[in-house]
C-alpha cells in the first residue's frame, strides 16, 4: 500500500482531464499502484456523471470533495477494487514512452550513484524522465528550482522528510532541500516530472537540472 498520494485537487483535475500532460502521466502511474486513489477517482467520476445528468443548477459545496476524501481515507480499501495489469514491468502510461529495454535510453550520469534520462517534454514545458539510483547511493543535499513530482517505480529511497516505496507519489516544492538515498538492498528507479530548466544554478546545477543537457 502506497503512503504518499497526489493532492486531492490533482485527482479532481485528472478526473476532469485538465491536468498538464506530464502530471497526468505521473498520476496514471501512481493509480496503477494505489487502490485508494483508484477508488477516489471512480467515486469522483460517478459523482460528476450524476451531476452532469442532473444538470444541477446549484454549485457543489466547497467542502464536498474534502468530505468525500475524508470518508474514503477512513474506509478500508475495497477488496473488489479492479486490479491493474501486473504482467508488464511498468504501468501502461509509462510503458508507452519506453523502448523495449531501458538500456536503449540515452542515460546521462551526473554522478557515480545516479543516472538520468529524459523521456519527453510536454507542451506545457514539463519534462518527464527517469532517475536511477544505485542501491545505497546518496545524492548530495540540494534544492529544486521548481516543483518536482517523483513516483517510485522500483526499489525505494528516503530523505529527511520520509521513506518512499513502490508507487509513492512525492511532490517537492522549490523551497525544499533534500539528500535522497536509495535503499541499501536494491537499485531505485523513479519517474520524475519537472519544469524545464531555464539555466544552471552553480556547481550543483547539473544535479539540480540534469535534463538540461539531456
Ligand atoms: Zn494514492
Amino acid at each position: 500500500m502506497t503512503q504518499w498520494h497526489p493532492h486531492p485537487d490533482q485527482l479532481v483535475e485528472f478526473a476532469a482531464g485538465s491536468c498538464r500532460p506530464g502530471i497526468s502521466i505521473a498520476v496514471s502511474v501512481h493509480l496503477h499502484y494505489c487502490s485508494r486513489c483508484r477508488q477516489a477517482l471512480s467515486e469522483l467520476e460517478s459523482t460528476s456523471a450524476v451531476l452532469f445528468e442532473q444538470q444541477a443548477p446549484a454549485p457543489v459545496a466547497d467542502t464536498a470533495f474534502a468530505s468525500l476524501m475524508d470518508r474514503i481515507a477512513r474506509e478500508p480499501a475495497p477488496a473488489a477494487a479492479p486490479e491493474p495489469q501486473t504482467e508488464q514491468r511498468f504501468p501502461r502510461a509509462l510503458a508507452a514512452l519506453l523502448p523495449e529495454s531501458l538500456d536503449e535510453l540515452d542515460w546521462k550520469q551526473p554522478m557515480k550513484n545516479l543516472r538520468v534520462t529524459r523521456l519527453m517534454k510536454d507542451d506545457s514545458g514539463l519534462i518527464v524522465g527517469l532517475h536511477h539510483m544505485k542501491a545505497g547511493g546518496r545524492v548530495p543535499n540540494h534544492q529544486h528550482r521548481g516543483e518536482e513530482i517523483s513516483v517510485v517505480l522500483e526499489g525505494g529511497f528516503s530523505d529527511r522528510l520520509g521513506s518512499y516505496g513502490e508507487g509513492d507519489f512525492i511532490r517537492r516544492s522549490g523551497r525544499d532541500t533534500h539528500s535522497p538515498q536509495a535503499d541499501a538492498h536494491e537499485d531505485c528507479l523513479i519517474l520524475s516530472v519537472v519544469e524545464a530548466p531555464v539555466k544552471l544554478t552553480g556547481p550543483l546545477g547539473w544535479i539540480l537540472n540534469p535534463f538540461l543537457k539531456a
Side-chain angles (χ1 to χ4, degrees), residues 2 4-6 11 30-31 34-38 167 169:
T2 57
W4 301 78
H5 309 272
L11 278 189
H30 173 76
L31 286 167
C34 182
S35 61
R36 181 186 127 174
C37 287
R38 288 202 301 276
F169 185 102

Side-chain angles (χ1 to χ4, degrees), residues 175-206:
R175 292 182 304 280
D176 298 323
T177 62
H178 71 157
S179 174
Q181 180 168 30
D183 293 352
H185 59 284
E186 66 178 315
D187 287 7
C188 181
L189 187 67
I190 301 165
L191 174 73
S192 68
V193 180
V194 295
E195 292 288 347
V198 286
K199 60 176 180 179
L200 289 174
T201 51
L204 274 181
W206 172 232

Side-chain angles (χ1 to χ4, degrees), residues 6-184:
H7 189 277
D9 290 348
Q10 279 175 321
L11 278 189
V12 172
E13 282 183 10
F14 182 84
S18 57
C19 266
R20 299 168 76 184
I23 291 175
S24 172
I25 291 170
V27 173
S28 296
V29 168
H30 173 76
L31 286 167
H32 175 89
Y33 298 97
C34 182
S35 61
R36 181 186 127 174
C37 287
R38 288 202 301 276
Q39 187 198 356
L41 185 69
S42 80
E43 297 208 14
L44 269 174
E45 284 167 346
S46 47
T47 307
S48 14
V50 168
L51 286 177
F52 183 72
E53 279 165 18
Q54 292 174 341
Q55 294 286 319
V60 182
D62 284 353
T63 54
F65 183 69
S67 47
L68 171 66
M69 289 305 286
D70 244 26
R71 188 159 59 75
I72 291 169
R74 275 183 271 114
E75 283 173 5
E83 283 307 313
Q85 290 185 322
T86 49
E87 64 273 23
Q88 266 186 315
R89 180 174 172 188
F90 298 112
R92 212 176 317 154
L94 172 62
L97 301 175
L98 298 174
E100 222 155 90
S101 157
L102 294 189
D103 292 335
E104 293 170 38
L105 291 165
D106 183 21
W107 291 96
K108 311 286 176 187
Q109 188 153 14
M111 51 186 298
K112 197 168 104 236
N113 293 321
L114 173 73
R115 57 180 191 152
V116 301
T117 189
R118 168 176 172 155
L119 301 176
M120 66 166 277
K121 180 177 175 182
D122 77 12
D123 52 18
S124 77
L126 291 175
I127 293 176
V128 178
L130 296 175
H131 281 57
H132 175 212
M133 285 195 282
K134 282 264 181 227
R138 179 187 283 280
V139 175
N141 198 43
H142 64 277
Q143 184 171 25
H144 292 273
R145 287 182 63 80
E147 189 173 84
E148 172 168 26
I149 289 171
S150 307
V151 185
V152 180
L153 300 168
E154 292 176 350
F157 75 97
S158 50
D159 63 17
R160 66 183 177 83
L161 297 172
S163 295
Y164 319 97
E166 211 173 70
D168 279 339
F169 185 102
I170 306 130
R171 195 159 61 153
R172 289 278 175 266
S173 81
R175 292 182 304 280
D176 298 323
T177 62
H178 71 157
S179 174
Q181 180 168 30
D183 293 352

